[in-house]
Amino acid sequence: MDDRLKQELRAICRGEVRFDEPMARHTSFGVGGPADALLLPGDLDEVRAVCRRLVSQEIPILPLGDGTNMLVSDAGWRGAVICLTKGLRVISFQEETGSAEAGASLSVFSRQCQRAGLAGMEWACSVPGTLGGAMRGNAGAFGGETFDRLLSVEALDMGTGQTLLLKKEDLPHSYRRCDLPPGLLLLRGAFALAGGRPEEIEARMDDILSRRKATQPLYERNAGCIFKNPAGSSAGLLIDQAGCKGLGVGGAVVSDLHANFMVNRGGATAADVLTLIERIRDRVRQHAGIELETEIRTIGESP
Ligand SMILES: Cc1cc2nc3c(=O)[nH]c(=O)nc-3n(C[C@H](O)[C@H](O)[C@H](O)COP(=O)(O)OP(=O)(O)OC[C@H]3O[C@@H](n4cnc5c(N)ncnc54)[C@H](O)[C@@H]3O)c2cc1C
């Protein structure tokens, strides 16, 4: 990225701009080399202007939420990262419809639904990350998932600068997957909720939170579940049965608490994590004859 473009980006994006920014600082795993630029626009106009400028220069754009489902390579990301957590995080309610901007926290949205006496997002109270990340990956937990109650999304076509309104039916989705057309940046989601008593909704959330605390390594650096659950089975159970708990490569170790979580015990590199992923896959293949598919998104150049 040349100096002139850097200056222009600084002028357009008044939120925050950083160059050669280590992605390890922006991922829950604490892993990842530098991105050429990290931009946190202050509002939608800035998002639009930044995208227009980057697209005109053919600079690849990576949307970033809270980085809780990402493994960024040690070589980093050659291009710009756009994060909406600074400028797009408004949550609002109209009757039984909840609407949240993509940079809003999913768990905060879930909590605000509860306070407003609106049920349906309880499952999300303990899932880290933003609405944008949740919609992109159809995040889910404890029997619920993002698309269950999604009505529509607003997305920016980063190429043309147009805002599109897409209905849920326009977005093919399945378990931990949403086939978002390339070049779209999610801006907002609208959700159909149901009236409920705040104290009953809260009781369901408390139950979910205590179950999660008991079964997941929430106090160590990690990126949530590494693998998707194969149909009719649990990836964590398969990994445990294949004897992988405690298996490590460098600073990356399979959690003793939940075998589908990998933790960064300090100094883990993306190469460590990728090697460990392959070791787990091999063991589960040999032990159970099942091919595990990753849930985390691998970003950037190969090491
Ligand atoms: C302790 C822990 C527990 C977890 N538990 C769960 C769980 O129970 N269920 C579950 O589903 N996940 C879980 N996860 C994973 C993670 O929280 C979810 O996948 C979450 O939805 C990711 O959101 P994010 O904002 O961090 O996305 P990021 O990791 O920042 O991004 C994920 C993907 O979404 C894309 N993206 C982000 N924002 C946008 C946008 N605005 N427009 C277009 N694309 C975008 C990114 O480019 C990337 O490809 C857990 C993670 C941790 C660390």
Side-chain angles (χ1 to χ4, degrees):
M1 205 171 275
D2 63 36
D3 287 346
R4 193 193 156 123
L5 180 58
K6 285 183 180 176
Q7 266 183 3
E8 283 175 9
L9 290 173
R10 272 206 190 92
I12 300 170
C13 183
R14 277 163 294 165
E16 198 175 330
V17 182
R18 299 188 198 179
F19 297 105
D20 301 318
E21 177 68 8
M23 288 300 288
R25 291 190 190 147
H26 303 278
T27 58
S28 57
F29 228 150
V31 169
D36 292 340
L38 172 72
L39 303 141
L40 292 103
D43 60 28
L44 182 54
D45 287 343
E46 288 184 22
V47 175
R48 229 185 272 281
V50 158
C51 289
R52 196 180 308 126
R53 196 71 198 94
L54 293 167
V55 168
S56 74
Q57 293 287 303
E58 297 182 3
I59 307 271
I61 300 175
L62 170 69
L64 172 73
D66 280 334
T68 62
N69 196 30
M70 272 192 189
L71 175 63
V72 181
S73 82
D74 298 315
W77 171 254
R78 298 292 70 78
V81 175
I82 294 196
C83 180
L84 304 181
T85 55
K86 201 173 186 110
L88 270 83
R89 51 183 191 193
V90 173
I91 293 172
S92 60
F93 297 98
Q94 202 173 17
E95 295 177 355
E96 293 191 347
T97 302
S99 169
E101 289 184 327
S105 152
L106 179 66
S107 59
V108 169
F109 179 55
S110 166
R111 182 57 66 183
Q112 292 201 9
C113 292
Q114 178 265 329
R115 290 200 185 116
L118 293 168
M121 293 301 290
E122 293 88 311
W123 63 268
C125 65
S126 63
V127 178
T130 61
L131 253 294
M135 294 189 287
R136 180 67 187 88
N138 191 14
F142 298 99
E145 61 180 21
T146 308
F147 271 74
D148 285 348
R149 290 189 172 265
L150 190 70
L151 290 168
S152 61
V153 303
E154 272 176 38
L156 177 72
D157 182 326
M158 294 187 276
T160 64
Q162 274 188 312
T163 303
L164 312 175
L165 181 67
L166 301 169
K167 293 199 192 109
K168 171 179 174 171
E169 306 77 70
D170 300 330
L171 289 171
H173 57 275
S174 53
Y175 166 69
R176 301 294 176 274
R177 186 183 172 128
C178 155
D179 294 326
L180 187 70
L184 293 190
L185 179 67
L186 293 164
L187 299 175
R188 180 197 298 274
F191 295 81
L193 305 165
R197 290 162 60 89
E199 54 281 16
E200 286 172 10
I201 302 169
E202 187 167 38
R204 288 197 288 276
M205 290 165 90
D206 287 347
D207 177 49
I208 285 171
L209 285 165
S210 57
R211 278 198 274 160
R212 187 177 284 264
K213 275 186 200 144
T215 54
Q216 297 183 5
L218 302 181
Y219 304 105
E220 293 186 276
R221 302 206 76 156
N222 69 78
C225 289
I226 298 290
F227 298 100
K228 295 184 181 182
N229 287 325
S233 183
S234 147
L237 193 63
L238 289 168
I239 297 167
D240 193 2
Q241 287 170 344
C244 298
K245 270 190 176 168
L247 193 67
V249 175
V253 179
V254 177
S255 164
D256 289 324
L257 201 54
H258 191 316
N260 199 11
F261 277 60
M262 228 182 248
V263 294
N264 180 356
R265 291 263 156 89
T269 63
D272 292 340
V273 175
L274 290 170
T275 306
L276 188 51
I277 285 175
E278 284 319 312
R279 289 205 186 147
I280 295 168
R281 268 201 175 125
D282 283 350
R283 285 209 186 179
V284 170
R285 192 182 303 117
Q286 279 169 24
H287 190 264
I290 290 176
E291 194 65 35
L292 290 178
E293 191 189 334
T294 47
E295 183 171 319
I296 51 164
R297 286 163 192 268
T298 311
I299 308 281
E301 297 169 6
S302 302

